Amino acid sequence: MTVSITDVAEATGVSASTVSRALRGRSGVSEEMRARIVAAAAELGYTASRSASSLASGRTYTIGVVVPYVGRWFFGTVLDAAEKVFSAAGYDVLLYNLGSPEARKRFFTKLPIRKRVDAVLSLLIPDPEEAAALCSLGVPLATTVGGARPGFTVVGIDDRGGAESAVRHLVNLGHRRIGMISGASEPLHWTTPLDRRQGYLDVLADAGIELDPALEADGGYTVEGGEQAMTELLALRHPPTAVFAQSDEMAMGALRALRRHRLRVPEDVSVVGFDDHELSEVVGLTTVAQPVAAQGREAARLLLAQLDEPDAGAPQPVEMPIRFILRETTAPPHSGRQP
Amino acid sequence: MTVSITDVAEATGVSASTVSRALRGRSGVSEEMRARIVAAAAELGYTASRSASSLASGRTYTIGVVVPYVGRWFFGTVLDAAEKVFSAAGYDVLLYNLGSPEARKRFFTKLPIRKRVDAVLSLLIPDPEEAAALCSLGVPLATTVGGARPGFTVVGIDDRGGAESAVRHLVNLGHRRIGMISGASEPLHWTTPLDRRQGYLDVLADAGIELDPALEADGGYTVEGGEQAMTELLALRHPPTAVFAQSDEMAMGALRALRRHRLRVPEDVSVVGFDDHELSEVVGLTTVAQPVAAQGREAARLLLAQLDEPDAGAPQPVEMPIRFILRETTAPPHSGRQP
DNA sequence: AATCTGAACGCAAACGCTTGCGCAACCAGG
DNA sequence: CCTGGTTGCGCAAGCGTTTGCGTTCAGATT
C-alpha cells in the first residue's frame, strides 16, 4: 500500500541503488536517468522512509529541542526561530517539553532522544548529571540560556551587564530604595537569576547604597509570582520607590499589583523589567531588550555548521547585544508629589 | 560504540528476540529472565533505536504537530499542553512550524512527515488540497482551530457564540457605534475570523443597529495589527465608542493606540477582546475566555484514543466551554463625561 | 510410560534504505 | 590494438529491530 523505493525502481527499470543516489543528488547517475527517476518518484508520490534511511545511513536529519515550557513567550519565540532555520536546512525537529519534574526525570533517565537526533538544542540548563547524559549522546549540543557548559555551544547575552544598566537607570533617576523581584535558580538550574542579581548588587554597591535583604522578593519568573512579590514589597515598613524585575513577565505582575494598590506608575513607584517581551511595548514597560528570536536562529545555525563540519570543534560562545529601552514606567522618586 | 540489542543479549546470554520481548513487556519471557535483561539493559545504558524498531514494526511512536506560529501565545499554549499528553503516553512529538508560505509549501509538497508519524495534530487549517495531502498519510488527524474538516477530529469552541456575548455586552452597556478589529481568514484558511465576525453581525442586527462597514478594520491577529486598526478607526469622522477585537492580542494593540491618542479606557472607548490571553488579566481586559490548554490536552487525548482503538472511527467533534469575563476595559459610552 | 500441552526461548526473515565494491561499456592516449 | 581511466549502473551486505514459527523441555494428562 505504501510506495517504497523498489516501486519507483521498477517503474523506471533501474535498481533501487540508482534511485537512492538519484533522489539524493549523489553522483554516479546520468542526468537523463535522474530526470526520469525524479519524475517517476513524483508520479508515485514517493517519500523515502526516514526510519529506513536513518537506520542505513546513521543520520537522522532530526534535531532535538528540549525546552522547559513551550508556552512561555521566551521559549516559544526561541523555538519558533530555531525551527525555521532547521526546517529550511531539511531537518525535522523533535520537541521535548520538560516543564514538570516528572517529565524531566523521565526524559533524562530513559533518554528517548538517543539515536534519534543528529544534534540537540537545549533551552533549559541541565544540572551536571543531565548534562553528562546529553554529552553521552555524542552529538553537537547548544543552548541559549544560562551560563557556559562544557560541551555546549552557547549563545546568550550579558545578563549581568543588562541588569546593571536597568538598576543604574533607577539610581540615576535618584532612587535609593530599589527592590528586586527575582527568581530562584533552583528548579531550572539556570544561572540567569544569579547573573541578573549580581548586576543589581554591583550597582547598589557602586552607588554606595546599603543592601536591604528585605527588598528582594521571589517572583518565580511568572506574572503571578511577580504580582505576589510586588505585594510583599509593598507590605514592608519602608517599601521601595522603584523595583527591578528580573523579567518582563514579573514586571507585568508587579504593575498589576501596583494598580490594585491604587499606586501610580511611575509617579509612586518605578518599574523596570528585562527581556523586552512582545507585550512590553503595549504596557509601556521600561526594560532591557535582548534579541530572543535572533538567539534561537544563531544557535540553530551554529549547530548546523557543526553538522556540516564535524571536525571543526565547538564554536566559541557568542554574546548577542542587549539594549536598554526607556518607556513609561520609570521616573524620579515621588515625582507625582512634586509641584 | 553505540550499544545495540545484541550487546545486551550477549551480556545476558539470550537471543535478541528475547531481549526485545522482555524490554517491551511482551509475553513469552519468564519473570526471572525479564528482570535479568532489564538489569543488563540498564547497566549498559541501552536504548532501542527508534529507526530500527519503527522500520521493523511499522509504528513510529511519534506524533506530528503542525502549527502556524509556535511563538504566538495561543499556539504555544496548545502545543505545550498537547506535548505533555503525548510524551506521558510515550510518544515523541515532531514539530512543524509553518509560518511562512514557503515553509508551508515545502511541507505540503514534500510531506516529510510521511511514514514518520502515527498521527497528526494540526493547529492550522489546511486548505482542501493540503487537507487531502494530510489525509493521504493514512493516520488519525485532529485539529483545535477553525471549523470541521472531513477526516479530522476537531475540538474547538463556539466562536460565533463567544463573539455574540462580547458584542452583546457592549450593546447592553448602551453602545451603538461598535467597531470590530478583525483578521483575514485567508493566509491561514481558518474559519475563526468568519465565525467571530458573524457573531458581531448577528448581535448588531438583533439590536437593530445599522451596519457601518467603515467600523470594521483588519488587525491581522497581531498586536501591531490591532494598534494599526484602532488607529484607523479613530481617524473616522465618527469613531466608535466601543470596539470588539477578535483576539486579545489585537485588543492590546488597540489599548496601546488609545493610550497614544490620550484616550481613556473605558471612559472614552470600551474595548473587549477574545481568548483570555495570559496577560489579559494584567491589563484588565474584558474578554471571552476559552480553555486553550484544555483544548490541546483534549485533542491529544482523542488522538491517542484513536491509536489505541483504530477501529473505533473518528470521534465526534467536541466543543469546549467559553466564558465571558468582565474586567476593566468596558463601560457605558462617554461615561467619563458624566458628572 | 507414552502422549499432550504450554511456557520459554531461539531462528531467521523481513522492514526500506544506503553504500562499498564490482563490472561492463565507453573514450582517449600510446 | 592494447592499456588505463572514467562513467553509469547493479549486487549484495549491512543498519538494529520485530515477529511468526519452530524447537526444547518440564510438568500434567491419560
Side-chain angles (χ1 to χ4, degrees), chain A residues 175 177-181 212-218 225-244 250-271 334 337:
Chain A
H175 291 279
R177 280 194 72 74
I178 301 175
M180 174 167 69
I181 301 181
D212 181 352
L215 287 179
E216 184 171 348
D218 188 348
E227 182 176 0
Q228 166 74 25
M230 186 73 239
T231 305
E232 287 174 30
L233 292 178
L234 291 177
L236 292 177
R237 179 187 301 266
H238 298 297
T241 62
V243 301
F244 162 51
M250 294 192 292
M252 292 182 196
L255 293 179
R256 178 144 185 266
L258 289 165
R259 251 197 348 188
R260 292 212 163 164
H261 285 79
R262 302 272 173 256
L263 288 168
R264 291 164 305 164
V265 175
E267 292 84 355
D268 299 321
V269 178
S270 285
V271 176
H334 311 298
R337 298 189 194 155

Side-chain angles (χ1 to χ4, degrees), chain A residues 2-3 45 47 50-51 54 62 70-71 80 83 92-97 114-116 256 259 281-282, chain B residues 2-3 45 47 50-51 54 62 70-71 80 83 92-93 95-97 114-116 256 259 281-282:
Chain A
T2 156
V3 26
T47 309
R50 273 301 229 288
S51 310
S54 70
T62 301
V70 207
D80 190 304
E83 196 276 352
D92 287 336
V93 357
L94 215 34
L95 176 68
Y96 295 91
N97 190 29
R114 177 177 290 166
K115 301 179 191 166
R116 288 211 70 176
R256 178 144 185 266
R259 251 197 348 188
E281 192 179 4
V282 176
Chain B
T2 155
V3 27
T47 310
R50 275 299 231 288
S51 309
S54 71
T62 301
V70 208
D80 190 306
E83 196 276 351
D92 287 335
V93 355
L95 176 69
Y96 294 92
N97 189 31
R114 175 177 291 163
K115 302 179 190 166
R116 290 211 69 177
R256 177 144 185 267
R259 251 197 347 185
E281 192 180 2
V282 176

Side-chain angles (χ1 to χ4, degrees), chain A residues 208-229:
Chain A
I209 299 175
E210 198 185 349
L211 192 66
D212 181 352
L215 287 179
E216 184 171 348
D218 188 348
Y221 273 79
T222 67
V223 176
E224 299 75 27
E227 182 176 0
Q228 166 74 25

Side-chain angles (χ1 to χ4, degrees), chain B residues 95-112:
Chain B
L95 176 69
Y96 294 92
N97 189 31
L98 269 35
S100 70
E102 308 87 65
R104 185 165 184 153
K105 178 144 187 237
R106 189 170 52 223
F107 177 82
F108 281 106
T109 60
K110 303 208 59 171
L111 226 48

Side-chain angles (χ1 to χ4, degrees), chain A residues 76-96:
Chain A
T77 303
V78 174
L79 173 60
D80 190 304
E83 196 276 352
K84 279 178 180 141
V85 173
F86 289 136
S87 73
Y91 285 83
D92 287 336
V93 357
L94 215 34
L95 176 68
Y96 295 91

